[in-house]
Every structure is written in structure tokens, then in C-alpha cells.
Amino acid sequence: QVQLVESGGGLVQPGGSLRLSCAASGSIFSIGAMGWHRQAPGKQRELVAAISSGGSTRYTDSVKGRFTISRDNAKNTVYLQMNSLKPEDTAVYYCNADVQASPLTPGGDYWGQGTQVTVSS
């Protein structure tokens, strides 16, 4: 069983910063791509940022230059540094990861429970 646990959400004023963390635990042989998604009220979930096992990154256009995704493979953790936050960044943020539990099993897509980020004055 694999679990992803997010932390770091909260209330921040416009222009402020937050750092989200997502730690994977359980039966883990290897982790491939990891990512952050968000879902605002009344909107579809969207990919915010993703990072490959080799460190290649990609971002949705609305966060480029403001958000940075990174990972610590030794800790099975992915981070999202969010700077210059805007009210439109308000959403529940979810992490996901492609996790292989053993060398004999294919990877599976796992999701965290979500953490609320609210940007408001």
C-alpha cells in the first residue's frame, strides 16, 4: 500500500508565498513522475506542475515564473514552491506520483488527499 500525504497549505495574502510538500510512504520500489494538480470550486482539476524521475519539469502557463516544483528522491518527497500568489491560485492542491511497489509489478498512479490553498486579503 502506498500513501501520499500533503502538507503546507493555508491562507496567504496576495503576493505571498507557500511551500507545499508531499511525502510518499509504504511499499515503494521506485517513483517515476510526480506532480501537483489543483481544483478550484466549480472548475475541473488541472495539472499545475510535473517533474520526471530525472528532474525534467513542466508547468501550466499561468504559474510559470512563479511556481517551482522539485523533488528529493531520498525522501520520496515532492515540493511546490509558490511565490507571488494570486487570488486565482485559490484551490485544493493534490499531489500524485507514479509508484512501482516492487520490481515485478507495474507502476500505479497514486494521489494525496489534497491541501487547501487560499489566497485572499
Side-chain angles (χ1 to χ4, degrees):
Q1 190 74 8
V2 176
Q3 286 187 319
L4 300 183
V5 179
E6 299 115 333
S7 60
L11 173 64
V12 64
Q13 292 186 341
S17 298
L18 282 175
R19 188 193 195 208
L20 305 183
S21 300
C22 173
S25 62
S27 178
I28 298 173
F29 171 72
S30 67
I31 302 178
M34 305 181 82
W36 288 95
H37 303 248
R38 66 186 179 187
Q39 187 166 19
K43 294 188 177 181
Q44 289 187 330
R45 189 175 297 189
E46 65 169 345
L47 174 67
V48 176
I51 184 167
S52 71
S53 57
S56 298
T57 60
R58 58 189 177 102
Y59 300 89
T60 191
D61 286 346
S62 63
V63 308
K64 287 179 180 177
R66 300 188 298 123
F67 291 10
T68 302
I69 189 170
S70 61
R71 64 191 287 170
D72 184 333
N73 292 328
K75 296 181 179 179
N76 293 331
T77 299
V78 62
Y79 305 96
L80 186 67
Q81 178 67 43
M82 304 185 294
N83 299 328
S84 302
L85 281 161
K86 304 175 181 180
E88 50 264 44
D89 294 317
T90 295
V92 178
Y93 284 69
Y94 300 89
C95 70
N96 84 303
D98 179 26
V99 181
Q100 188 177 6
S102 79
L104 302 178
T105 58
D109 193 25
Y110 293 87
W111 290 80
Q113 80 287 354
T115 185
Q116 176 69 46
V117 171
T118 302
V119 185
S120 175
S121 55

